[in-house]
Amino acid sequence: MNFNDIIEKRRSINFFDPQKDVSQKDLTRMIELAGNTPSSFNLQPWNLMVLRNPEEKERLKKAAWDQPKVAEAPVVLIVLADKKGWQEGHPVFEKNWEKMLEAGSMESAQREWFLNATQSLYNWSPDANLAFAAKNAGFFAMSLMYAATSLGLETHPMDGFDHNGVQKEFKIPDNYWIPLLLAVGYKKKDLELTPPKWRKTYDEIVVSF
Ligand SMILES: Cc1cc2nc3c(=O)[nH]c(=O)nc-3n(C[C@H](O)[C@H](O)[C@H](O)COP(=O)(O)O)c2cc1C
């Protein structure tokens, strides 16, 4: 499938086949393909919780407007955006620093510069922490959807859920914000898709001030 086909084929699927499971091989491939997503300083401030267990999905559904697809899809991902992913001492921050030294794209003497850069960009207010996490995890989520389509899987993104309720129910630490849930699976047999939704045109997207 070329990329144009992937973009045009991806749809939000409301009704999943609960009998057709997603193999761990496909799920791993989908997640690792999406791992190629670009991020601020390559900090990759995203994580996923993978829910397959019916009891867990039922608990999530209760906090997600009771949307049936949360229980029907064989896999539901809780996408997590790490508001502290820019912080000195964070394991990914430190791994990234080591990798940059190894690759020669930074030198030890630049550590102070790097700390100041991430601080000044992503820690000037709580909103900046959130924006850092949300934009990067949002790009990652989009990659997950396209990666799924490329593997013949269907998805449905959802922000119709009680954020704090999900955070509490699944004991998700405070450094995370949850941009969306992502149902993954296969379309229910014989489900007729509605025509694609309208989209803004070039002229509606491009503005000048
Ligand atoms: C961040 C985000 C949150 C969404 N939340 C929901 C949701 O909670 N429930 C739902 O039925 N659809 C949800 N949608 C799906 C949108 O309605 C859908 O993407 C849009 O109508 C375009 O349709 P398409 O994805 O089939 O092209 C969400 C989409 C995104 C990107």
Side-chain angles (χ1 to χ4, degrees):
M1 220 185 293
N2 72 33
F3 195 62
N4 288 7
D5 296 334
I6 291 172
I7 290 190
E8 282 171 1
K9 190 165 183 304
R10 185 218 56 83
R11 297 289 308 279
S12 296
I13 296 299
N14 256 316
F15 300 97
F16 288 86
D17 183 346
Q19 310 305 332
K20 200 164 171 197
D21 205 359
V22 173
S23 72
Q24 188 55 46
K25 185 168 168 262
D26 280 350
L27 185 65
T28 303
R29 178 79 182 130
M30 169 187 157
I31 291 171
E32 292 189 349
L33 268 178
N36 289 296
T37 298
S39 59
S40 308
F41 287 108
N42 200 28
L43 286 164
Q44 307 168 58
W46 49 69
N47 289 97
L48 294 173
M49 286 180 74
V50 176
L51 271 54
R52 285 184 180 273
N53 178 301
E55 179 273 325
E56 279 187 323
K57 287 189 291 164
E58 207 45 59
R59 281 199 283 134
L60 183 62
K61 178 171 164 257
K62 284 205 181 90
W65 296 2
D66 232 13
Q67 300 189 62
K69 50 192 168 268
V70 178
E72 278 178 8
V75 173
V76 183
L77 304 175
I78 305 181
V79 180
L80 301 174
D82 191 343
K83 293 181 285 182
K84 301 283 183 194
W86 51 269
Q87 204 168 51
E88 183 175 24
H90 187 295
V92 181
F93 179 98
E94 297 303 338
K95 179 172 179 177
N96 192 36
W97 174 250
E98 289 304 318
K99 294 279 184 194
M100 288 191 294
L101 292 184
E102 265 172 50
S105 57
M106 284 267 171
E107 290 170 14
S108 320
Q110 288 173 288
R111 171 95 179 171
E112 215 41 47
W113 176 88
F114 187 53
L115 292 177
N116 286 336
T118 50
Q119 276 280 343
S120 63
L121 286 171
Y122 312 128
N123 194 33
W124 52 271
S125 74
D127 281 356
N129 295 169
L130 181 58
F132 161 78
K135 66 185 158 190
N136 287 294
F139 295 147
F140 176 61
M142 190 69 254
S143 297
L144 285 170
M145 290 182 251
Y146 286 141
T149 306
S150 79
L151 295 167
L153 294 161
E154 306 282 0
T155 56
H156 198 122
M158 286 166 273
D159 60 10
F161 61 91
D162 166 8
H163 182 280
N164 296 347
V166 171
Q167 191 141 25
K168 197 161 165 234
E169 184 67 33
F170 290 89
K171 300 186 174 57
I172 295 170
D174 282 349
N175 56 305
Y176 288 116
W177 185 69
I178 311 167
L180 69 153
L181 312 175
L182 188 66
V184 186
Y186 295 92
K187 191 163 69 72
K188 200 167 224 163
K189 259 202 187 137
D190 306 325
L191 176 71
E192 280 284 331
L193 288 184
T194 53
K197 304 271 179 66
W198 76 276
R199 290 303 201 262
K200 286 159 86 173
T201 62
Y202 176 91
D203 287 335
E204 289 169 314
I205 293 171
V206 174
V207 291
S208 54
F209 301 104

